[in-house]
Amino acid sequence: AYIFQSNEEDDRKVRRREKNRVAAQRSRKKQTQKADKLHEEYESLEQENTSLKREIVKLTDEMKHLSEVLKDHEKICPLLHCTMNFVTVPRPDALASCLPR
């Protein structure tokens, strides 16, 4: 009876060890997949960040250009120099001279 019980205990230990080994493999695989996913997300966010920084530079340049255009236009704009600029409806001819042709 003792030999039978010992073999049974050995079998249980072997099965438990095998089950533990499989669980550990599964856990390591899951960790690796999680790390890979995080790395991909990191790469994607880095690309998006670079793209957004380029967009900021482009928009900043455009804003500077438009500010200069506006400043130049303000110097010659009849609507801004008109003594009657408090009138709610500007004269169509004055407005037309300010609009792009």
Side-chain angles (χ1 to χ4, degrees), residues 16-29:
R16 196 179 318 122
R17 216 177 288 131
E18 177 63 19
K19 195 174 175 182
N20 189 43
R21 187 182 66 77
V22 170
Q25 269 183 331
R26 198 171 30 236
S27 176
R28 283 190 294 270
K29 185 177 179 183

Side-chain angles (χ1 to χ4, degrees), residues 25-41:
Q25 269 183 331
R26 198 171 30 236
S27 176
R28 283 190 294 270
K29 185 177 179 183
K30 199 172 176 181
Q31 273 185 311
T32 302
Q33 287 173 336
K34 188 176 179 182
D36 289 347
K37 187 177 177 186
L38 282 172
H39 185 71
E40 285 175 23
E41 191 177 344

Side-chain angles (χ1 to χ4, degrees), residues 78-79 82-85 87-97:
L79 292 178
C82 178
T83 57
M84 305 266 299
N85 62 4
V87 177
T88 54
V89 180
R91 295 189 334 267
D93 59 323
L95 184 59
S97 67

Side-chain angles (χ1 to χ4, degrees), residues 67-82:
S67 293
E68 288 297 317
V69 168
L70 179 61
K71 206 186 309 176
D72 290 345
H73 176 76
E74 286 173 342
K75 293 174 189 172
I76 60 165
C77 181
L79 292 178
L80 293 173
H81 297 293
C82 178

